[in-house]
Each structure stands twice: as structure tokens, then as C-alpha cells.
Amino acid sequence: MLFRSIVLALSLASAQAADDGLVRMKLKKRSAHEMVADHLKRENDALRLALENGSAPEVMDMAKKSVMLRGSNPEEDFEEQVQVAEGASENIIIKDYSNAQYYGEVMIGTPPQKFTVIFDTGSSNLWVPKTKCKNCGYWFIHGGKSKYDESKSSSFKKDGSDFKIQYGSGSVKGFFSRDEITLAKDIVVKDQKFAEVANAGGLGVGYVMGRFDGILGLGFEKLSLGGANTVFKNAIDQKVVSQPVFSFALGDNKDGELTLGGYDDSKFKGEITWVNLSEASYWLIDIDDVSVGRISSGKTNGIVDSGTSLITGPSAKIAHIAHSVGAKRDFMGQYHFPCSKVGDVPDLEFTIDGKAWTVPGEDLVIQAG
């Protein structure tokens, strides 16, 4: 089976079938400004609850850590936020909150149990939190996480082998099970091996604050733990998709779409550029060059990863680029840049298979200040 990578875009929520044989899944997107505002509201609500109860140190610690994402004086920012939570102040400066999310829905079990997941080409396993999962959110943040209850599914099959996966942001632990997975409204993948997560503590505040319950990996079997076929591989083998192709259409400050079984030519203009994979594990491709202004990487490679919000690279080279535009690094590894100087940021250019792809400089900065 030949897989090829499209130079992509992304999206997800309720799905619709079309006469062209494609299945489309809406991807919800949150704008940077919405995320910043909602994040701050959640922080204040959680902090207010802790202050009122006086018995929730883990909530205080969570709020304090998340404040540290935004500024160079976290202790001062935290004290100011305490004043906001207590009603003594109405103003807090949001310096930076570098995040963005696309998420959608899948169903597990019979009858179906609904979960919000990130569709992640950077991993290959499906996992969701189980009932009584530890460190799996709080009821006062988005109403808590949806949790899989195997006792309520007639199609559940016990596996029981251990599951532990490490992401860039931390690890999750649990065990494997098998059940039916429903994508969109009419793609049912039978006997899918997936993980019930019992502890998501390694993901920290990013998971607690995130609008997702779990992750559905769209990478290759080489990355998959426990010998599990990916959901999409099983969908292909069970012939519930018309072609071994999926595609993302990323929304620009709006929702996007994930198409299963092909691609939707109404989502783009011109011709698709196909790029061969250098390795079928991650969606790994060769890159001729990455350049910003006078800085050039030379030949390298990269992963097309729908599960991350940021462009990442080797620390030394990213630091060089950031320094060249006057950005300053904080202890969390994020770079801060004055919004008033966004117009001075040069374009970022990827050269892939001899063709240049340009990201405008202004799109490299989340303007949240």
C-alpha cells in the first residue's frame, strides 16, 4: 500500500456524507483571542473556587503554573490574578498564551459514547480517559472530561495489556481494550484496539485546560504501541473508506474539515503538490531548505504534524531566528515579541521538492497582547 503526504491543512465536529464517496468531519477551531480570553476566565474561576474553599492546593498550583505561560514576572502576575479572582481588580495584562486547537468527535462502543479528540498525524494510537481516571480534568473546567465506561458497551472486548505513551508535553498511562469506533456518522471500525487512560498527569495543565478528551493518532503502525493498527488502517482494511487517503482543510479563524477516503477539491484552488515520504512512521518528508530573512537551514527534514499548534525546530536555530527579529525567550521556552513590530517579521519559507512555500511573517506571531 502506497501512502503519500499532501502538503496539508487541518480541521473537525458533526459529519456529513456526500455523493462523491467522501466522508467529511467538521473540525472546530478556537481563535487565538478566544483561547486567551477563555483561558483567563477558566483560571479566574478555578482560582476563585480555591480561594473560597481554602482546601484545593492542586487548583492553586495549576492556576499559578498557567499564569507562568504569559509573562516574565510570574509571581507578580499571579498576585495580580488573585486580586482579579477576589474581585479587587478587573485588569490583567495578557502578555502571551501561545496555543491553538483543532478538535472533533468520535464515538466508542455500543451504544456510542462521545469523545472529543485531537486528530494527530504525529502519533498512531487512539486513547481516551477511562472512568475514575486520575488527573483527567476538573468538573468546573469545560464540565470535565468525557470518560469511557466499558461496562456500558456491549461491543467491548478485554485486552488488558499495559499502555504508556510519551508526547512532547508529557506522558499518559493506562491499558488496552477493544471496541467499535465510529467516525463521522457512518464509518464504523470494528474491533479497534485502543487505550483506556487511567492517569494523564504527565500532560499537566495543557490537558486540563484543553478542549479535548483524548487523541486519535493518524501516523503509521511503526509508531503504534502494543502492536495496534491505527484506526485509519483498520478503516482501509475493513473497506469502510473508498481510498487510503485522508486530508485536512485548515480554517482561517474558522472551523476546518477532515475528509476521509479522499480529498475535497472545493477546499483549494490550483493543483495539489504531492510529496513522497522519506519514512512511513511519522509523516516525515525531506525539506530542501527553511529560511527566514538571511538565515537558512540547508537540507533537512520535517514532520507534517496535525497535533501540534506551533512550528518547531532545533533549539539553536530557533534561537538564532528569534534573536534576528528581536524576540525574547522566557523560561518556558516560548518567545515574546512586541505586537507593534509584527510588520517587521520576515516571511518564513519552506522549500520542499524544489518548490517554495511561504508563511507570511505576521502569521508567525499570535497577537494576544
Side-chain angles (χ1 to χ4, degrees), residues 34-87:
E34 179 192 355
M35 287 197 66
V36 170
D38 197 30
H39 172 78
L40 184 56
K41 181 181 183 299
R42 293 195 305 271
E43 280 185 349
N44 289 338
D45 289 346
L47 185 53
R48 184 180 296 109
L49 182 65
L51 290 168
E52 289 173 353
N53 293 342
S55 59
E58 73 279 5
V59 178
M60 293 286 285
D61 184 59
M62 178 182 67
K64 192 168 186 176
K65 286 179 179 178
S66 62
V67 168
M68 290 179 181
L69 292 174
R70 294 198 306 276
S72 57
N73 297 302
E75 295 294 336
E76 181 179 314
D77 289 346
F78 183 66
E79 290 305 317
E80 185 175 359
Q81 188 158 352
V82 168
Q83 294 177 17
V84 173
E86 291 177 331

Side-chain angles (χ1 to χ4, degrees), residues 120-190:
D120 179 24
T121 57
S123 65
S124 298
N125 290 92
L126 166 62
W127 66 262
V128 294
K130 67 180 292 292
T131 53
K132 298 182 180 180
C133 174
K134 296 180 180 178
N135 301 305
C136 287
Y138 300 90
W139 63 266
F140 51 84
I141 300 176
H142 307 314
K145 304 293 184 184
S146 296
K147 298 178 176 65
Y148 175 73
D149 188 344
E150 62 187 44
S151 69
K152 294 183 178 180
S153 175
S154 62
S155 49
F156 162 79
K157 295 179 182 179
K158 183 178 177 61
D159 181 292
S161 53
D162 290 340
F163 171 80
K164 179 181 179 181
I165 189 167
Q166 182 73 37
Y167 296 100
S169 52
S171 65
V172 296
K173 302 175 184 178
F175 54 86
F176 284 104
S177 296
R178 291 179 180 272
D179 210 329
E180 292 187 353
I181 311 298
T182 303
L183 304 171
K185 292 183 179 178
D186 53 2
I187 295 182
V188 179
V189 179
K190 298 183 180 298

Side-chain angles (χ1 to χ4, degrees), residues 199-220:
N199 192 331
L203 297 182
V205 69
Y207 178 59
V208 172
M209 294 295 188
R211 283 186 175 269
F212 65 98
D213 303 313
I215 293 178
L216 191 153
L218 288 170
F220 292 87

Side-chain angles (χ1 to χ4, degrees), residues 197-243:
V197 165
N199 192 331
L203 297 182
V205 69
Y207 178 59
V208 172
M209 294 295 188
R211 283 186 175 269
F212 65 98
D213 303 313
I215 293 178
L216 191 153
L218 288 170
F220 292 87
E221 282 64 40
K222 187 174 181 180
L223 293 180
S224 184
L225 300 177
N229 281 344
T230 65
V231 174
F232 194 64
K233 173 67 161 55
N234 279 338
I236 295 167
D237 293 347
Q238 294 175 24
K239 302 185 185 306
V240 294
V241 292
S242 56
Q243 298 181 65

